[in-house]
Amino acid sequence: MTVTTSIHGMWSTRLAFILAATGSAVGLGNIWRFPYTAGEYGGGAFVLVYLACVATIGIPIMMAEIMLGRRGRQSPINTMRTLVSQGGHSPVWQLLGWMGILSGFLILSFYSVIAGWTLAYVFRAGSGIFDAIDATRAGAIFADLTSDPERLLAWHTIFMVLVVLVVARGVASGLEKAVRYLMPALFFLLLVMVLYAAQAGDFGGAMTYLFAPDFAEFQGKADEAILSAMGQAFFSLSLGMGAIMIYGSYLKQEASIARNTVIVAGMDTLVALLAGLAIFPIVFANGLAPDSGPGLIFQTLPIAFGEMPGGGLFGTLFFVLLVFAAWTSAISLLEPLVAWLVENLGFSRVRASVLGGLTVWLLGIACLLSLNLWADVRVFGKGFLDLFDFVTANVLLPLGGVLIAVFSGWLLARSSSLDELRMGDGLSYRLWRLLIRFVAPVAVSIVLLNAIGVLKLIGLG
Ligand code: PHE
């Protein structure tokens, strides 16, 4: 018998799920991470690989995650436990849930630091210091912030408090209301930014840069570029760690998983591309380097806000909405852990959220110190912030994705997925099954193995 509700609450409508899942997907990953990562790998070719990953790996895995979540109706760990025992499979599969908790911790710890930058920029935009600013000055303002551990700590702390507040109240009540208005507003503002960039920046240059793939751009870094494009797809769609799985567990039985997935993935992709079209025209018009790394939007957008009429107000609004986008994503990063603490240790939601938030906050301190006082502390050649980012997006999330794909395609009975996806036994279902059984696991494994050089070792790379 299938359980039809979750003890943690349910989305009130289908729209609420779409908004919440979009809220999880759309965040710093789209507006901060996508443009600078695309910039690091030369633009068009990266974007093309990214889009291919979203279509052939991201969408099928998102459907699978929602499906597993809705069948289990609990935190990812317990959902896997239930599904595994129903099907008589090895309990080892619960590891998937544990890995997800670890990824959630690591991602949120650096995510909150970057969200802190965004919070700080709300006030900078409002103060008028961007007026008629040039690239050098914008760079200096950014460096000022990242080199100051106390300020970073203050913003990181404020952001984590905001996250804990919503998660403690329960996802359905707090989140649904927030996302309903904020997501459309962010979308609208982004459109205005693109229009501005089209008229004031080098829009043609940006279009060519983003949409005319030139694989020579990978310059011998093709392995790394493909790994990063795939990692970006997992990160941006919130896949591979249980966030979408737990949101699926609050989804009503009758909702169509395929349709919801296509909408959420479509919105996420659109927002990323719009962010690219808002940022790169400004990058090129001001002679900035597209590969200037994680500071990219913080060094380019202020120039645009400084030039446009009403830029102070507009800039403030933009960063406010970006904070909200980050907030709704961060909530979904903490939720799987909190649900587990409530289910297994009998914690109240408040206690579980505070405990989870505190742990992430501590880990976040290591991330923010890696930008200044601990700049010399390197693990595998990276500081903590970069390391957590790299390991989660490019290794842990894809690995989680492979496990989800294999479990859904090979272990879960065909009749179960057929029943849960409710799309009939036609072409779409068969296409999904083909992608989830073969394409997604094989493609992700090849990219991962290739990246660690295993294929080279055995002479295949
Ligand atoms: N998708 C979010 C973003 O793009 C980040 C995220 C990753 C959220 C993984 C949940 C899980 O900002």
Side-chain angles (χ1 to χ4, degrees), residues 269-282:
T269 308
L270 197 60
V271 171
L273 295 177
L274 285 178
L277 287 178
I279 288 154
F280 284 109
I282 302 167

Side-chain angles (χ1 to χ4, degrees), residues 329-346:
S329 299
I331 289 164
S332 74
L333 282 161
L334 197 57
E335 180 66 14
L337 168 73
V338 168
W340 180 79
L341 287 173
V342 171
E343 287 164 12
N344 287 50
L345 304 186

Side-chain angles (χ1 to χ4, degrees), residues 23-30 107 111 232 234-239 241 243 268 325-326 329-330 332-333 397:
S24 166
V26 174
L28 296 171
N30 307 62
I107 296 177
Y111 203 85
Q232 175 63 26
F234 276 97
F235 187 88
S236 191
L237 294 169
S238 305
L239 298 177
M241 56 79 51
D268 187 68
S329 299
S332 74
L333 282 161
L397 298 184

Side-chain angles (χ1 to χ4, degrees), residues 171-189:
V171 163
S173 58
L175 197 64
E176 274 195 42
K177 288 188 204 85
V179 203
R180 184 165 308 225
Y181 300 101
L182 299 171
M183 283 294 132
L186 178 71
F187 202 73
F188 175 74
L189 239 58

Side-chain angles (χ1 to χ4, degrees), residues 311-447:
L313 183 68
F314 195 77
T316 313
L317 214 66
F318 182 85
F319 284 114
V320 167
L321 287 171
L322 191 50
V323 168
F324 276 107
W327 196 3
T328 54
S329 299
I331 289 164
S332 74
L333 282 161
L334 197 57
E335 180 66 14
L337 168 73
V338 168
W340 180 79
L341 287 173
V342 171
E343 287 164 12
N344 287 50
L345 304 186
F347 280 27
S348 67
R349 265 199 91 85
V350 175
R351 201 161 146 223
S353 315
V354 171
L355 185 76
L358 215 58
T359 319
V360 172
W361 177 76
L362 282 172
L363 218 54
I365 295 180
C367 291
L368 66 89
L369 287 177
S370 74
L371 299 170
N372 36 68
L373 299 181
W374 290 0
D376 295 335
V377 184
R378 304 258 139 189
V379 185
F380 300 118
K382 293 182 191 296
F384 288 114
L385 197 154
D386 291 346
L387 180 74
F388 289 0
D389 179 318
F390 184 88
V391 167
T392 51
N394 297 350
V395 183
L396 288 175
L397 298 184
L399 208 58
V402 172
L403 295 179
I404 288 165
V406 170
F407 187 83
S408 314
W410 295 93
L411 280 86
L412 192 74
R414 188 176 193 277
S415 57
S416 302
S417 57
L418 197 57
D419 167 54
E420 196 65 49
L421 292 174
R422 288 162 196 269
M423 56 206 287
D425 196 352
L427 198 62
S428 331
Y429 175 75
R430 288 174 191 202
L431 177 63
W432 172 78
R433 207 163 144 82
L434 179 79
L435 291 170
I436 210 77
R437 278 162 73 92
F438 300 101
V439 178
V442 171
V444 176
S445 304
I446 291 180
V447 176

